[in-house]
Structures are given as C-alpha cells and as structure tokens.
C-alpha cells in the first residue's frame, strides 16, 4: 500500500479516536479551580496557566494547523490542562457546540441568528459569541502537468467550479495566460463535501467578484453543479495533489504542506496577486468589525477589492464559546488558553505556518472579551 495512503488512514484513525475523547471530556468534566499559575521557566513568560482543566473543542479544518501549534506550545507550558480539538469542519463544530458536546467551536463564518438563538440552550442565561482568532487566505491550488504558473480571475473560477469550463485549454483560461502551454486535460474541480466555512467564504468571494457568473448564496454547503467532493481541507488538498488536472480551494497552510501550486488572481489590480499571509493580513486590517453585540466580533471583508497586492479570498476563523455559562470546572482553562492564542506570543508565529495574525487592535479587543467570560 502506498505510504501516502497509509498516512491518510492513520490520520483518519487518529481523528476518530480524538472524537471519542471529546465525548469523554464533555461527560466527565475536570476539577480545575479558578487559580492560575505563571508558566514554568521553560515556557514563554507571557503564558499564564490554569492549574487544571480539560477542554473539548472541534470545528474548522482551516485552523487545524494553527490549533496544533497553539496546543503544543500551551500544553508544554501548562501540563495540567488537556485540550482536544477535532477538525471536523465548521458546520460539525458548531453543531457539536450547540448540542453541548464541546465548550469551544472553531468556525470560518460567524454564527447565524438562528444559531445564536439555539446557543441559549447550551449557554444557560446567556448566548454564544464569535471571537476572531486567526486569519488566512483561501488558496486556489491546482495540479496541471507542465504548468507551474497559472493566472485566473473570479468569472473564470466561477465557470470552472460550476462545470461551465471543463478543459484547461479553454479560451477564457488561455486569454489570462498568454504564451502558456495549456493542455486539453479535463478539469477536475474539487469542493468540500462537509459543511464548511471555507466553502462559505469561497462562495462569498465568487458572489461578490463574479455576480453574473455565480448565482449561489454564501452558504456552508456546496451548491454549484458537478465537480468532485472531498471531506475537509485535507481531503480536497489530497485529491488535488493526486490528480492531474485538478483544482480546489483550501487554506494556504494545506497547499504549503502538500507543496501544491497555487493560482495567482487577476483582481483588476495592475498585477495578478499571489496568495500569501502578508496579503491576507492587509485584507484583515482593512475589514470592518461588527457583530451582534458588544462582545460579538465579526469581520466583514471586501471580496471584490482591486487594491494592489491585496489577496481577496480571505477568511477569519472564529472561536465560539458562551459569553456566560461555561462550566466552572473548565472556565479558567478556557480563558487561559484563549488569552494565550490572542496574545502577541500566540499570534507572532502564525505567519511562519502560513496564517495571517490578527491586527494588534483587533487582538486587544479579543483579549478584553476573553477576560470578561464567566
């Protein structure tokens, strides 16, 4: 059996085991107190640890590499706290949180009004709130033998993912890539099979930048015609990696991990824009911050931007938790961990793993809200 397939099977087994651990954590709770300890000498001095705690979390696959980094650094500093995060997609993470199976959900789109209302059942006397924690561009990755540089625009992407452009030598693609040797290879467009905030953000981009070609709503479920599907960002990336002629969307960290070539976007700016964490950070800084309450912080992007050097397909992953009503035995650990992830220490290394750090002013607002959780 190929080593790549063996690795995928091992990852699947690990995910199943971790999901079982979430159920166990939610059922048994922990005996954490409200006290905190300064991290041991070997840990970064900025981390203030909870003494104990078990955090059950799940959700966005787009943030899973950032979450792995945070968990590793935090738990090295704070060995008394156990954290389990299962990357099952934004839709699955929100659903588990609303059922009370977890105390934290990661989602690439803010909660909808009906989800906020439903959260009142799992947040006694309160409601769930959205806090942005990590940003990043949605890369358009492709696998096309002999083509190592590819430019596409929103109308062409819309037609590709809606099965209206079906071969790589189509006139619309040739026009954007003069001089390129484009083969007649069939296009294998891959989308997410699970409910996904990454899908919702990709839909939002196409709807804003190519409204005539993309009639679909910005929903977590895929709606366009045809194509292939795969579960999670890793599944989409694996299909693209292994299929000549494939194209798909996933976070930049997945593209980098698999060494998948990425599309440069013709946005109407003087030059096509390559995907990067730096370009995504610029987009986050220019976004408007709103929300359904003082503590609820949501980010609204301009997906149709033509600003030079601005990569337009940007998303922010939110952490969803109760404003009030988190069980007392896990609240100190939850606040300690989120304070770290939103800190300068927690944000500084994100660009190195292909994520976009939050702007300083927004990160400060997030930390203020975390401190107020009860």
């Amino acid at each position: 059996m190929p080593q790549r397939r063996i690795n995928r099977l091992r990852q699947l087994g690990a995910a199943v085991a971790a999901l079982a651990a979430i159920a166990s954590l939610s059922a048994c709770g922990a005996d954490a107190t409200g006290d905190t300890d300064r991290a041991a000498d070997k840990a970064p001095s900025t981390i203030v640890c909870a003494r104990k705690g078990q955090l059950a979390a799940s959700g966005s696959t787009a943030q899973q590499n950032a979450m792995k980094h945070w968990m590793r650094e935090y738990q090295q500093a704070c060995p008394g706290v156990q954290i389990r995060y299962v990357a099952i997609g934004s839709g699955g993470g929100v659903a588990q949180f609303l059922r009370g199976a977890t105390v934290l959900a990661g989602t690439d789109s803010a909660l909808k009004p009906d989800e906020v209302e439903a959260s009142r059942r799992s947040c006694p006397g309160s409601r769930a709130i959205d806090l942005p924690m990590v940003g990043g561009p949605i890369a358009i990755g492709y696998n096309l033998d002999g083509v190592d540089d590819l430019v596409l625009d929103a109308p062409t992407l819309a037609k590709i993912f809606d099965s209206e452009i079906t071969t790589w030598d189509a006139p619309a693609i040739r026009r954007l890539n003069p001089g390129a040797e484009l083969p007649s290879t069939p296009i294998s467009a891959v989308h997410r099979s699970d409910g996904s905030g990454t899908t919702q953000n990709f839909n939002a981009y196409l709807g804003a930048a190519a409204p005539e070609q993309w009639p679909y709503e910005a929903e977590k479920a895929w709606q366009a015609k045809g194509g292939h599907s795969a579960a999670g960002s890793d599944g989409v990336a694996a299909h693209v990696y292994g299929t000549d002629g494939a194209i798909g969307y996933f976070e930049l960290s997945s593209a980098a991990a698999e060494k998948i070539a990425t599309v440069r976007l013709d946005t109407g700016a003087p030059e096509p824009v390559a995907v990067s964490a730096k370009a995504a950070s610029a987009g986050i800084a220019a976004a408007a911050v709103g929300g359904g309450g003082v503590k609820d912080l949501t980010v609204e992007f301009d997906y149709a931007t033509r600003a030079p050097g601005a990569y337009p397909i940007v998303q922010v992953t939110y952490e969803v938790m109760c404003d009030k009503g988190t069980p007392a035995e896990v609240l100190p650990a939850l606040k300690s961990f989120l304070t770290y992830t939103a800190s300068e220490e927690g944000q500084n290394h994100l660009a190195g793993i292909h994520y976009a750090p939050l702007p300083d002013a927004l990160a400060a607002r997030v930390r203020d809200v975390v401190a107020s959780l009860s």
Side-chain angles (χ1 to χ4, degrees), residues 342-362:
S343 71
E344 183 177 348
E345 180 73 31
Q347 294 285 312
N348 268 352
H349 301 292
L350 292 179
I353 53 174
H354 310 289
Y355 288 95
L358 297 179
D360 291 342
L362 180 56

Side-chain angles (χ1 to χ4, degrees), residues 69-338:
H69 167 77
W70 285 329
M71 289 165 56
R72 181 179 64 251
E73 296 299 313
Y74 181 84
Q75 290 183 143
Q76 181 179 5
C78 310
V81 177
Q82 299 177 24
I83 307 171
R84 297 290 184 272
Y85 181 83
V86 182
I88 57 175
S90 297
V94 170
Q96 286 200 341
F97 176 84
L98 294 178
R99 290 198 302 269
T102 60
V103 296
L104 184 69
T107 174
D108 304 325
S109 58
L111 295 175
K112 293 182 177 180
D114 62 323
E115 292 172 330
V116 172
E117 188 60 32
S119 74
R120 297 184 186 280
R121 294 192 293 271
S122 50
C123 300
S126 183
R127 50 157 284 188
I129 56 175
D130 307 281
L131 293 183
M133 196 61 70
V134 59
I138 300 172
I140 309 299
Y142 70 95
N143 179 352
L144 190 57
D145 190 33
V147 179
D148 56 9
D149 183 38
L150 184 68
V151 175
L152 296 174
D153 60 12
T156 304
L157 280 169
K159 291 179 179 180
I160 287 173
F161 279 92
D162 206 19
S163 301
E164 293 184 21
I165 294 177
T166 59
T167 62
W168 283 107
D169 61 350
I173 302 177
R174 291 203 309 268
R175 185 169 57 252
L176 291 164
N177 298 272
E181 294 292 332
L182 295 169
S184 59
T185 306
I187 294 174
S188 175
V190 194
H191 58 267
R192 290 279 291 270
S193 60
D194 52 325
S196 163
T198 305
T199 293
Q200 187 168 28
N201 281 279
F202 187 50
N203 276 325
Y205 160 71
L206 292 176
E212 295 182 3
Q213 294 81 15
W214 196 256
Y216 307 107
E217 298 294 326
E219 299 289 345
K220 292 179 182 178
W222 186 255
Q223 306 157 74
K225 302 186 296 290
H228 301 271
S229 65
S233 291
D234 280 353
V236 175
H239 183 103
V240 172
Y241 179 89
T243 307
D244 185 35
I247 184 170
Y249 58 92
F250 32 80
E251 70 276 8
L252 179 57
S253 60
S254 289
E258 299 287 4
K259 295 181 172 57
I260 296 172
T262 56
V263 168
R264 291 190 297 139
L265 290 178
D266 183 343
T267 64
E271 296 291 336
V273 183
V275 59
S276 71
K278 181 179 179 180
S281 287
I284 298 172
V289 179
V294 175
K295 295 184 179 181
D296 195 65
L297 305 177
T298 58
V299 180
E300 300 175 5
F301 292 104
D302 178 9
Y303 291 106
T305 182
R306 296 186 175 190
Y311 188 81
I313 321 178
V314 183
Q315 67 182 6
V316 161
T317 293
Y318 300 90
E319 309 307 336
V320 173
M321 75 292 299
C322 294
D323 177 17
K324 299 177 182 179
T326 297
E329 66 269 20
V330 298
L331 180 62
L334 178 67
K335 294 175 68 173
S336 172
F337 178 63
L338 294 181

